[in-house]
Structure formats: C-alpha cells, structure tokens
Amino acid sequence: MNTPDRDDRPLLIVGAGIAGLASALAFSKAGFRSVVCERSDRLDPVGAGLQLSANALSVLDRLGVLASLRENAFAARTVALRDGASDRLLARVPVESGADGYLAVHRADLQSVLLEAVQVDPRIELRLGRSLKAVETRPSGVRASFARSAGSSETIDTLLLVGADGVHSATAGLLSCPPPTDGGLVAHRFSLNDAPGDEIEAWLSPRSHAVSYPMRRSGERNLVLVERQGGKQAPSGDGWNPRLAGFIRHGTYLGRWPLLTVNPDERMRAFGRVVLVGDAAHAMFPFAAQGAAMALEDAWVLAASLATQADMDRAIGAYLDARRPRIERVLKRVRFHRFVYHLGWPASLARNAAMALRSERAMRGDLAWLYDWRAAPLA
Ligand SMILES: Cc1cc2nc3c(=O)[nH]c(=O)nc-3n(C[C@H](O)[C@H](O)[C@H](O)COP(=O)(O)OP(=O)(O)OC[C@H]3O[C@@H](n4cnc5c(N)ncnc54)[C@H](O)[C@@H]3O)c2cc1C
C-alpha cells in the first residue's frame, strides 16, 4: 500500500528472530514490502521449548503458518501446578481458549515455519550476515548502516526501521536506551528424550520453580528450572521430588540463561521513524510464558496500524497506544506469578493450601483477558 506519507522503499526490520520474521510476514499481509537484516550468517535452530497460548496462535494463524506448526507441536489443555518437594498436585489451570487451544513447541520449529513462509514471500527479502552498527533518524525516514560478515558495510534508507533484535538490541543501544536489567534470576534448561508424561507441569518450591512439557509429538521434553543466580554449575536435583530430580539428573543440560528484562517505559516510544518490537521493547521474565507471544502480537498490531493509518507517525502512535497497556498488564501478571511461585517457607505452605481451594474455572478466569485476545483481520 502506498499512501501520501509512504514511498516505495521497503520497510527495514533488524533481526530475524520470532519478532522480526513475524513482522515481515505481517507487513506482507498488509501489503508492505520489507527487508530483514540478520546479524547471523545462518539461522540455526537454537533455543528450547516455548508455550504458545491462543492469543499467540491467532497471530500465527493470520500469518498462515499455524497448520504446519501444529504438525509437530504438543497440544495441551491444562497446566498442572505441583508442590516441588512432594510432587503433590496443587491445581490444574485450564489454558485453552476457544478452538485455538494451547501448544508447546520447540522454538526451532516456530522459527522454521516462519522462515519457510518468509523465504517464499516475494514481498520479503532476508539478508543474513548484516549486523546493525548505526542509525540516523531523518525527517523522511531512517538511514541504517550494517557491518557485513564478509567485511564490507551496507547502508539502507527506509521510511520505517523496526528493531526486532532481541534483549541485547543494538537498535535500542544506538538510540541511547538504557541497557537491559539483570533480574538476579537464572533459567537452567534441559531436554529429555524419553521422559514419561503428557502434560505441562510446573513445580513450585521456595524461591524457585521448574516447568516441564513435551515440545514435540515425538515426545522430546523441555525442562526449565528458574532460581536465584548462584554458582555456575548445573543443578543437581537435590531438594526436588524424586521424579523431577530424575528429570534433572538424566536430562541433557543445555545451559544457563541469566534472565534479563527491559523496561518498556524506556523502549515503547517513537524514536522518529524507529520502533522496537519483541524482547528489544519489553523482554520479560518467563513467569507467564508470554515473551514470544507478545512479540507475535506486536508484529500483528504494528502491521494493522500501518494498514489503517496513512500517516506514518500516526501509525507508530497507534501501535504504541495499543501495545503499551497490554504489555503493562502482562508485566503485572508476570510480577504476580514471580511473587507467588517463589514464595519462601512457610508462606509457600499457605500458597499451596490456597491454590488447592481454587476452582479450575476461577483459575482460567484470571487469564481470560490474556488468552482470549485475538489478532483482528487487517483492514
Ligand atoms: C527460559 C525462557 C523460557 C521462555 N519461555 C517462553 C514461553 O513459554 N512462551 C513464550 O511466549 N515466550 C517464552 N520465552 C520468551 C521468548 O523466548 C522471547 O520473548 C522471544 O524469543 C523473543 O523473540 P525476539 O524475536 O524478540 O528476540 P530474539 O529471539 O532474541 O531474536 C533477535 C534476533 O536479532 C538478531 N540480532 C541481534 N543483534 C543484531 C544486530 N546488531 N543486527 C542484526 N541482527 C541482530 C539476533 O541474531 C536474533 O536473530 C522464554 C524465554 C526464556 C529465557
């Protein structure tokens, strides 16, 4: 779509992670061409498991990739909350929303279906081996410079630059945004090939929690253990119930991720014709399993804003106005989950008793506003 404020330069997306690839596909659905510049020379299948609630799935459906993602994904109906020491079931939280359900996937599978769609889309050009080095905002748009892994440099002029370059966003750094905050927590991740169990389970323990689920139909399981930062060694399993301790001891240790967060008050604003999406704008703790989901929502809402607002500054404003309150509400929920999941002893005993008294309906009702969001059709 070309409007009075637009020209035929493709939009520029920095980063080909979940947010960047989804943005390119959403822009294409809205009629815009884009160039995606990614620092890596190859998009390797990195990461581990992701839970995707119906709000995220609705975006993937609009992007045309949900059916292929489902082929390999694990479909869940509930999340079982358990006591970390005893494995006792505390509550089952229903997580489905309408017909869209709830999936657990490998991040690599999500990236693959997005990448395949990008590669066959004539409106999208993916350029690998380009690392953003400079951003110059101009009245008519943005000039971005990239260092190429081959050694040369490349300059691109565009009407809109979308920074989708993750928690360590170079785009945000070049715009003088404060760096991410070290939240004092670390996530240890494991994969398990033949562990039994066919549901999403979360174990709550004083000051730490663990989550495990099948992330492929083949049975490959994800396990993540979140605790305060301490030594560098992998967890031993001590202090957890025997079943979970067995997962920890027999799983393949994928490493430790220090959990960093980004303050959206500093990042969710217009920097001339530059906007940030995904973790670059609002990296959050994984206590509500919504980081990738919010990246997908960002992509869709930004495309919808571009499709409905002829003026670029208004389009950016509409995107920010729509996303800020939603992100704030999600972050409030994340803080609440962090507080509840990591309560120390003996408050954790009171938490367990209170959870056991709550109905599944009440648990589901708490999350309706989150899971029932849907990507609206583009104008
Ligand atoms: C332990 C853990 C569990 C999680 N579980 C869930 C979950 O269950 N559900 C969920 O929805 N979310 C979950 N998340 C969050 C989710 O993984 C992230 O929010 C999401 O992957 C962010 O995507 P992104 O595209 O914004 O960033 P990234 O995936 O980090 O992508 C950024 C891209 O930009 C590229 N890049 C960086 N710098 C440059 C540069 N200078 N120039 C060009 N390219 C550049 C990078 O190479 C990368 O490809 C979890 C996170 C963690 C840590």
Side-chain angles (χ1 to χ4, degrees):
M1 177 195 295
N2 277 326
T3 63
D5 185 44
R6 311 280 165 90
D7 54 37
D8 59 2
R9 288 176 291 175
L11 306 177
L12 176 60
I13 298 166
V14 180
I18 307 304
L21 296 174
S23 295
L25 291 170
F27 294 168
S28 174
K29 296 276 176 210
F32 300 102
R33 292 187 304 127
S34 64
V35 172
V36 184
C37 286
E38 162 61 42
R39 149 181 85 177
S40 307
D41 288 319
R42 288 186 350 192
L43 287 181
D44 289 325
V46 292
L50 287 177
Q51 299 174 54
L52 294 172
S53 45
N55 48 315
L57 300 180
S58 77
V59 177
L60 295 170
D61 197 18
R62 295 265 179 222
L63 299 180
V65 299
L66 182 56
S68 22
L69 185 67
R70 274 193 202 285
E71 282 170 19
N72 206 10
F74 171 76
R77 303 194 64 186
T78 58
V79 171
L81 297 176
R82 297 182 176 278
D83 176 62
S86 68
D87 205 16
R88 182 168 58 90
L89 181 70
L90 302 173
R92 275 207 166 83
V93 185
V95 287
E96 282 181 313
S97 166
D100 289 326
Y102 192 97
L103 297 183
V105 304
H106 197 297
R107 181 189 178 278
D109 295 343
L110 175 57
Q111 180 161 322
S112 289
V113 295
L114 292 169
L115 182 60
E116 279 163 24
V118 159
Q119 283 168 332
V120 297
D121 192 318
R123 289 200 180 100
I124 305 171
E125 189 191 339
L126 178 59
R127 297 185 192 168
L128 299 175
R130 267 79 167 177
S131 186
L132 182 74
K133 292 296 172 202
V135 172
E136 193 187 320
T137 56
R138 303 171 153 215
S140 62
V142 188
R143 171 165 288 185
S145 304
F146 294 84
R148 296 181 63 167
S149 44
S152 56
S153 62
E154 183 173 342
T155 299
I156 300 179
D157 284 306
T158 181
L159 201 53
L160 176 71
L161 185 152
V162 179
D165 46 355
V167 65
H168 297 289
S169 171
T171 314
L174 291 165
L175 296 166
S176 304
C177 293
T181 305
D182 183 340
L185 294 173
V186 64
H188 299 276
R189 299 182 106 168
F190 303 79
S191 73
L192 302 109
N193 277 328
D194 49 8
D198 60 357
E199 64 179 341
I200 301 178
E201 298 177 283
W203 291 267
L204 312 184
S205 201
R207 311 264 181 240
S208 56
H209 81 285
V211 182
S212 182
Y213 49 83
M215 56 183 168
R216 283 184 171 137
R217 286 195 183 174
S218 58
E220 195 180 336
R221 262 182 105 83
N222 181 60
L223 169 65
V224 54
L225 197 163
V226 177
E227 61 180 11
R228 286 183 177 174
Q229 276 182 26
K232 285 201 187 305
Q233 74 280 19
S236 63
D238 293 351
W240 296 98
N241 65 78
R243 189 164 67 96
L244 177 55
F247 283 1
I248 292 170
R249 288 179 191 132
H250 299 120
T252 305
Y253 186 54
L254 303 176
R256 64 199 294 284
W257 272 255
L259 295 179
L260 305 177
T261 59
V262 154
N263 181 354
D265 294 342
E266 293 156 352
R267 306 271 185 112
M268 294 199 72
R269 58 192 185 86
F271 302 89
R273 298 283 174 81
V274 181
V275 280
L276 301 169
V277 295
D279 276 10
H282 44 62
M284 55 185 71
F285 287 134
F287 285 88
Q290 286 293 315
M294 290 304 115
L296 291 166
E297 288 189 13
D298 286 351
W300 190 258
V301 173
L302 182 53
S305 303
L306 291 169
T308 47
Q309 300 286 339
D311 178 86
M312 181 58 85
D313 296 319
R314 281 181 191 225
I316 293 172
Y319 160 74
L320 293 167
D321 287 349
R323 296 304 295 153
R324 277 197 210 104
R326 172 103 174 138
I327 297 295
E328 269 168 32
R329 196 166 180 195
V330 173
L331 287 176
K332 203 169 155 195
R333 188 76 203 176
V334 168
R335 284 192 289 272
F336 175 69
H337 281 192
R338 180 186 180 180
F339 172 75
V340 171
Y341 284 13
H342 284 199
L343 277 172
W345 190 89
S348 54
L349 297 178
R351 171 203 61 207
N352 292 359
M355 270 185 183
L357 289 175
R358 297 210 71 207
S359 69
E360 288 194 5
R361 197 186 152 106
M363 293 271 199
R364 174 66 183 79
D366 290 347
L367 296 167
W369 63 272
L370 181 56
Y371 295 165
D372 294 351
W373 182 97
R374 291 294 181 273
L378 291 173

